[in-house]
Amino acid sequence: MSSAEEIAVDAARLSAELAELAGITDAEPTPGGTAVTRIVFTERDLQARAWLKTLAREAGLGVREDAIGNTFFRWEGLDPALPAVGTGSHIDAIPYAGMFDGTVGVLGGLEAIRALKRSGACLRRSIELVLFTSEEPTRFGIGCLGSRVLAGALAPDAADALQDGDGRTLQAVRTEAGFAGPLASVAVGGDRYSAWVELHIEQGSLLERAGVPIGIVTDIAAPASYGFTIEGVGGHAGALLMPDRRDALCAAAELILAIEREALRSGSRDTVATVGTCAVHPGAVNSVPSRVVLQVDVRDIDPERRERVMQAVRRDARKLAEGRGVTVREEIMNADMPAHCSPAIVQAIGQACERTGVAAAPMVSRAYHDTLFMARLAPVAMIFIPCRGGVSHRPDEFATAEHIAVGTRVLAETLAGLAA
Ligand code: HGY
Ligand code: MN
Ligand code: MN
């Protein structure tokens, strides 16, 4: 890499852009912080994408969108035919999330490229900043939708058939949003990227507690998500006597506690399980629930242990279904393997930290990220920065401008080293 001068990150501009993006939200501002709701392919999401494309064009980057809405901002290298070095993340946000999850990797990636351009760096390989569609599972029930299809980990037809809460398919929603091409055109081969690095807030408190400004991710935990539908028999809340009831919500409550219990007794603190949504039908105070649909998120760095927990949950479900005269139907949305980052990329980040003069610590990511699927296309690793109290997916999620700037500087140094 020939970099005429030192790489300098414009921290003030980056903070201002993060704040501007946070203002493109469907959530009411909350006293505790900047609540962001930005669901994939909603008005707000499209507005944020348009805003970002303008910024990228102003930075002199090429802009390309694929049929699922993954957006590629490219800085051509001296040898454009070579596989590019990739970085990026997401800007969609679950309801009432914070303003840093994902956005630090997208806007930090843009600022890293701008800083490299300002430094006069002439890099052999192109650098491509990627904005992934729907990293969050909120609308279509599966996380990392855009990177899964890009990496060929989800078949185009299966993706297009996914439905949102209103019963609208991905195919219909993405077409309406302006992404109408065949999903079969999205997947790319292993020769697209020579390396991949994502910058993200830790969404945990290890870095803050250790007082270390940079985490280098060596492994990404294996996520899985399931739907459980419990069918009982509804009826009048007054007239239906207790011994005659087959109450779907009481059965669901028992299943929810069984899921918590099995995760707690997996034998490892690396097993986590969450029942994040519970839809009750018909949902009237004076009507015995006849159907309940749960969405369950189970993770572990060891997929076999995660599967043992699910086997135990299935045993519990069969038992309670028998005892309560209800049926329990399970739907596997995704059950992914963990990602093991590339030692070469981990080392490249470590060297970038040395050049930047900052301490770093290796760590596991307990949250999943698009990098989990980019690992199927290229050698990958991630750069984490601390977030206050480890809080995330809440309006009071917070990362300091200083940590964001240092993470962006390390990303720029890493990209330059990998693209030289
Ligand atoms: O749920 C996750 O781990 C990510 O934040 N979507
Ligand atoms: Mn998230
Ligand atoms: Mn994220």
Side-chain angles (χ1 to χ4, degrees), residues 241-262:
L241 300 181
M242 296 309 282
D244 303 330
R245 291 191 177 196
R246 289 153 61 184
D247 184 324
L249 187 51
C250 292
E254 199 174 326
L255 179 57
I256 291 167
L257 291 176
I259 290 166
E260 180 191 47
R261 188 177 60 246
E262 298 305 349

Side-chain angles (χ1 to χ4, degrees), residues 31-45:
T34 311
V36 179
T37 299
R38 195 162 44 237
I39 308 300
V40 67
F41 294 144
T42 58
E43 199 49 45
R44 290 284 169 270
D45 180 38

Side-chain angles (χ1 to χ4, degrees), residues 17-246:
E17 288 171 348
L18 283 164
E20 189 169 349
L21 179 52
I24 307 175
T25 170
D26 276 324
E28 301 308 315
T30 57
T34 311
V36 179
T37 299
R38 195 162 44 237
I39 308 300
V40 67
F41 294 144
T42 58
E43 199 49 45
R44 290 284 169 270
D45 180 38
L46 299 178
Q47 203 184 327
R49 288 163 175 262
W51 173 78
L52 198 63
K53 281 188 280 187
T54 306
L55 279 189
R57 289 195 177 99
E58 283 166 4
L61 304 184
V63 180
R64 184 180 73 81
E65 293 166 323
D66 69 15
I68 202 168
N70 294 321
T71 307
F72 305 87
F73 305 112
R74 191 176 175 91
W75 177 25
E76 288 286 69
L78 296 173
D79 191 343
L82 286 175
V85 173
T87 187
S89 194
H90 63 99
I91 61 169
D92 62 314
I94 69 170
Y96 286 92
M99 61 180 274
F100 300 99
D101 173 3
T103 56
V104 163
V106 176
L107 289 171
L110 178 59
E111 176 54 23
I113 292 173
R114 289 186 304 218
L116 285 168
K117 287 182 136 210
R118 288 194 297 267
S119 78
C122 293
L123 303 173
R124 274 184 65 227
R125 294 180 183 277
S126 302
I127 293 183
E128 197 159 76
L129 171 65
V130 185
L131 160 67
F132 290 105
T133 281
S134 197
E135 189 271 353
E136 298 291 4
T138 312
R139 184 160 188 179
F140 292 102
I142 187 168
C144 301
L145 185 51
S147 50
R148 273 177 205 274
V149 179
L150 186 76
L154 179 60
D157 296 351
D160 255 343
L162 289 170
Q163 294 188 11
D164 67 8
D166 299 328
R168 300 194 64 214
T169 62
L170 170 67
Q171 211 256 340
V173 171
R174 70 181 177 88
T175 303
E176 192 178 86
F179 305 108
L183 281 199
S185 63
V186 170
V188 297
D191 57 353
R192 177 67 176 274
Y193 297 105
S194 59
W196 171 268
V197 183
E198 179 174 2
L199 171 64
H200 205 285
I201 55 171
E202 179 195 340
Q203 296 176 303
S205 54
L206 298 182
L207 289 175
E208 183 183 58
R209 273 192 246 149
V212 173
I214 295 289
I216 306 179
V217 175
T218 57
D219 299 277
I220 302 174
S225 60
Y226 307 85
F228 280 95
T229 302
I230 300 99
E231 302 271 4
V233 175
H236 192 289
L240 186 51
L241 300 181
M242 296 309 282
D244 303 330
R245 291 191 177 196
R246 289 153 61 184

Side-chain angles (χ1 to χ4, degrees), residues 90 101 135-137 203 297 299 366-369 393:
H90 63 99
D101 173 3
E135 189 271 353
E136 298 291 4
Q203 296 176 303
D297 177 310
R299 310 185 193 194
R366 297 182 183 283
Y368 60 73
H369 304 280
H393 284 189

